[in-house]
Amino acid sequence: MNFYAVKAIYKFEMARTWRTLLQSIVSPIISTSLYFIVFGSAIGSRIEQVDGIPYGAFIVPGLLMLSLLTQSVANASFGIYFPKFTGTIYELLSAPVSMKEVVLGYVGAAASKSFILGVIILITANFFVPLQIAHPFVMVFFLILTCITFSLLGFIIGIWADNFEKLQLIPLLIITPLVFLGGSFYSADMLPPFWEKVTFFNPVLYLISGFRWSFYEISDVDIWVSIAMILVFLAITLFVVWRIFKTGYQLRK
Amino acid sequence: MTSAISVKNLNKVYDSGFQALNNINLDIQRGEIIALLGPNGAGKTTLISVICGIVNPSSGQILVDGDDIQTEYRQTRSKIGLVPQELTTDAFETVWNTVNFSRGLFGKASNPVLIEQILKDLSLWDKKDNMIMTLSGGMKRRVLIAKALSHEPEILFLDEPTAGVDVELRKDMWIVINKLRQSGVTIILTTHYIEEAEEIADRIGVINKGEIVLVEGKDELMHKLGKKQVILQLRQDIPAIPEPLQHYDLSLSDDGSELTYTFDTEGEHLGITALMDDLSDNNIRFKDINTKKSSLEEIFVQLVRESE
């Protein structure tokens, strides 16, 4: 194992975060705060409680997931796409590193950023709404696994993309709709019966549901189903990354 | 002793069907400086990229210090430093960070003293905290060299290191390269400035259309393929080369004032004395005499033409 390389990539990627503090940390905090102000305080004050939880507090887990998913994908995809775009990837390809180490460095850094972001958003939320976390360990478990899984997904997108448009395509067209329609702002049983059934085909629903359970012990699906789902996602992303490196897809000509 | 690099039957066909390398066989000895010359698109960069692990070979084998570059890639790559042709840098990073990043990436513990020395040798020390995007092209080239040297490679690839570089940097660079050579580093260089290769290389490899045309010691090559010319400025113009002199390899300038005799430097009988006598017998007098030896550039052009 080339630990120095993992450390170098990790440090390099984290340095990018501090350099682009506004973009990577401040802007998600501002947008999340806006959600709290608009949905939590302004509109939320006129919405009745959901399963006994004030609406503003109800949406915290969903909002966190929204930020974690989009930021994990954005960070990790950009992290590996940018060297491809500028050509500095030559160094990575000519270095004595295995692809496992490359993934560990890039995905580790992207996941760390998301995790830090998640914690900051949680603290921010605390200023706007009364928070309670019923199962902190489960919450952290979901937080960490989501950061890792979606950073892996971002990494896959970054490798697959050969232009900036493709880089934005999946986050904009797939991930954002799935998160919005996955119960970030509502409980599945608030939907008409048909759409409630459709919603269960949305994988993100299981993440949000499980995550919300760790806060308030309310969920759309059983917590074990949610845990199983996040593990399945992780397994799928790991498998795809493994396949990519097995074939050298898109990196080595 | 095993070669520093041994390339055996190497082929590279890109997905587009373009054959960039065609059955390349090449042995590079430890500690030598070999210059790879070839026209644009000859396959020099592809060859370097395959050896460094950036491009996958289609077939064939490459050993670095006896280790296969595919199965033993950790050992082989950690010994190689590469200065790429393109100025690809992390625009937003500082010089110091990017050079240290390279060292870590190649599996070495940080060594600020060494990095400081490298930056000083390349006149980059006062720029160490500058963002790379603020540097000039020549300075960026230095950064790439510093990155390649940061992990103390035993083998250094310089792909067109002096393209678009000013005289001062070239001088600095050759000083660094000489220092590396003295410490036993094997250097593989591609360049379009053939006089550079002529000055610095021990051996010359010529590549054209993905094939090695020849690999030869520089001095042997110059001796074997180099030609000498004696140019005679005539006292009186002559309309044509007289019949008795036709068997010499002579050419007459258009205005009839200059006679050029070309001969092989390898030939045993150069025939200059005989030519002088024959000139005198035919009443051809000259007022000045010049000799010219063909440059590596001329030899190179001739080799490439012959291989077309």
Side-chain angles (χ1 to χ4, degrees):
Chain A
M1 184 82 161
N2 184 348
F3 282 109
Y4 289 116
V6 177
K7 192 177 140 198
I9 297 173
Y10 185 87
K11 241 176 95 179
F12 191 85
E13 281 298 294
M14 290 309 278
R16 196 162 58 80
T17 310
W18 310 132
R19 217 168 41 224
T20 55
L21 208 59
L22 274 177
Q23 181 204 325
S24 8
I25 305 279
V26 178
S27 89
I29 292 174
I30 290 180
S31 61
T32 316
S33 302
L34 290 174
Y35 278 115
F36 282 125
I37 293 167
V38 175
F39 290 105
S41 308
I43 300 176
S45 61
R46 303 199 174 195
I47 298 177
E48 54 185 282
Q49 295 195 337
V50 184
D51 295 329
I53 310 292
Y55 186 70
F58 177 84
I59 62 170
V60 171
L63 272 181
L64 253 167
M65 276 289 169
L66 176 69
S67 290
L68 288 185
L69 263 55
T70 48
Q71 288 302 313
S72 300
V73 169
N75 279 328
S77 61
F78 192 78
I80 189 71
Y81 176 74
F82 200 59
K84 274 172 48 180
F85 175 71
T86 58
T88 51
I89 191 96
Y90 85 86
E91 198 176 19
L92 199 62
L93 296 178
S94 63
V97 288
S98 72
M99 284 306 167
K100 258 185 256 161
E101 290 148 10
V102 172
V103 171
L104 217 54
Y106 277 102
V107 173
S112 304
K113 275 183 234 178
S114 302
F115 184 80
I116 294 168
L117 187 70
V119 172
I120 294 175
I121 292 177
L122 211 56
I123 295 167
T124 316
N126 205 28
F127 288 110
F128 293 94
V129 291
L131 264 188
Q132 62 164 80
I133 301 169
H135 303 279
F137 288 110
V138 180
M139 195 275 284
V140 172
F141 170 82
F142 266 99
L143 196 63
I144 292 175
L145 281 199
T146 305
C147 292
I148 295 173
T149 304
F150 283 82
S151 295
L152 278 165
L153 177 64
F155 187 82
I156 295 166
I157 294 170
I159 290 206
W160 163 76
D162 50 16
N163 58 43
F164 273 102
E165 197 193 1
K166 276 190 182 171
L167 199 65
Q168 300 289 344
L169 208 65
I170 294 184
L172 281 178
L173 294 186
I174 300 177
I175 293 174
T176 310
L178 284 184
V179 182
F180 269 87
L181 301 174
S184 301
F185 299 102
Y186 54 83
S187 163
D189 60 19
M190 291 159 77
L191 294 168
F194 174 76
W195 290 109
E196 188 183 346
K197 282 202 183 75
V198 171
T199 260
F200 287 107
F201 286 98
N202 179 353
V204 177
L205 173 95
Y206 297 86
L207 298 186
I208 295 177
S209 167
F211 200 42
R212 188 170 285 137
W213 182 87
S214 71
F215 282 76
Y216 310 120
E217 291 184 306
I218 51 167
S219 60
D220 293 317
V221 291
D222 189 82
I223 177 64
W224 290 107
V225 177
S226 292
I227 291 173
M229 282 302 268
I230 182 75
L231 292 173
V232 167
F233 291 159
L234 181 64
I236 292 173
T237 48
L238 282 173
F239 176 76
V240 175
V241 167
W242 174 74
R243 282 299 305 164
I244 285 174
F245 291 139
K246 200 86 185 152
T247 56
Y249 175 76
Q250 292 267 4
L251 279 181
R252 284 197 173 86
K253 283 179 226 155
Chain B
M1 197 167 87
T2 50
S3 308
I5 296 173
S6 173
V7 180
K8 290 175 189 153
N9 309 320
L10 177 68
N11 286 285
K12 174 64 191 176
V13 182
Y14 283 109
D15 291 341
S16 62
F18 174 68
Q19 178 140 22
L21 297 175
N22 189 2
N23 199 32
I24 300 273
N25 284 287
L26 178 66
D27 270 287
I28 296 169
Q29 302 310 317
R30 223 174 289 241
E32 74 169 335
I33 298 188
I34 180 167
L36 295 175
L37 309 180
N40 285 331
K44 304 181 298 282
T45 300
T46 302
L47 176 61
I48 291 177
S49 299
V50 175
I51 298 172
C52 292
I54 299 167
V55 170
N56 286 326
S58 302
S59 65
Q61 194 190 31
I62 298 169
L63 304 177
V64 172
D65 250 353
D67 290 324
D68 187 289
I69 61 155
Q70 287 191 300
T71 53
E72 309 291 329
Y73 71 92
R74 275 193 205 276
Q75 283 91 317
T76 64
R77 289 188 202 162
S78 59
K79 289 177 185 164
I80 296 178
L82 165 66
V83 180
Q85 194 178 133
E86 304 281 335
L87 282 177
T88 46
T89 51
D90 297 298
F92 306 106
E93 260 307 341
T94 63
V95 172
W96 179 256
N97 284 348
T98 198
V99 176
N100 278 286
F101 167 76
S102 298
R103 185 171 169 85
L105 196 61
F106 278 76
K108 293 271 171 78
S110 74
N111 184 347
V113 179
L114 173 87
I115 303 293
E116 180 178 336
Q117 190 55 51
I118 291 172
L119 294 182
K120 281 181 175 163
D121 285 347
L122 287 161
S123 314
L124 275 172
W125 183 242
D126 58 332
K127 306 268 186 213
K128 72 181 170 60
D129 296 321
N130 289 33
M131 254 197 216
I132 297 172
M133 62 187 287
T134 63
L135 303 180
S136 67
M139 283 292 170
K140 282 181 188 153
R141 181 74 65 193
R142 289 172 202 236
V143 173
L144 289 179
I145 297 168
K147 278 166 80 74
L149 297 180
S150 67
H151 63 278
E152 304 156 86
E154 292 169 29
I155 298 167
L156 181 67
F157 283 93
L158 296 160
D159 196 358
E160 304 276 353
T162 47
V165 151
D166 63 26
V167 183
E168 199 188 342
L169 171 54
R170 277 205 214 172
K171 276 190 193 152
D172 276 4
M173 225 178 62
W174 298 131
I175 291 170
V176 171
I177 288 176
N178 264 322
K179 232 168 120 179
L180 290 170
R181 181 219 284 259
Q182 278 156 19
S183 66
V185 175
T186 308
I187 295 165
I188 299 98
L189 159 89
T190 76
T191 179
H192 279 291
Y193 299 102
I194 294 172
E195 64 274 27
E196 251 170 32
E198 193 173 339
E199 200 168 310
I200 198 167
D202 302 313
R203 283 200 305 158
I204 307 282
V206 177
I207 304 184
N208 194 24
K209 294 186 173 169
E211 292 181 30
I212 298 257
V213 177
L214 70 75
V215 182
E216 188 89 66
K218 181 185 65 189
D219 297 335
E220 293 90 76
L221 181 70
M222 304 284 286
H223 186 65
K224 224 155 100 182
L225 296 176
K227 292 217 159 44
K228 263 194 163 174
Q229 288 182 324
V230 176
I231 302 148
L232 304 164
Q233 307 277 342
L234 303 182
R235 221 174 244 174
Q236 270 181 329
D237 297 353
I238 54 170
I241 299 167
E243 179 60 35
L245 300 174
Q246 295 268 331
H247 65 281
Y248 291 104
D249 186 2
L250 285 172
S251 63
L252 186 65
S253 63
D254 288 342
D255 60 358
S257 68
E258 202 176 273
L259 205 53
T260 305
Y261 173 54
T262 307
F263 59 95
D264 227 312
T265 47
E266 272 214 318
E268 284 179 19
H269 303 291
L270 305 177
I272 297 177
T273 323
L275 174 68
M276 294 299 157
D277 290 344
D278 285 346
L279 285 171
S280 161
D281 291 350
N282 286 277
N283 267 332
I284 298 176
R285 306 268 181 264
F286 44 90
K287 55 183 175 194
D288 200 2
I289 185 164
N290 278 312
T291 58
K292 201 179 134 208
K293 202 173 157 188
S294 46
S295 67
L296 182 59
E297 182 160 335
E298 285 161 328
I299 297 174
F300 167 71
V301 170
Q302 177 199 337
L303 278 169
V304 169
R305 250 187 227 144
E306 281 169 7
S307 71
E308 293 283 313

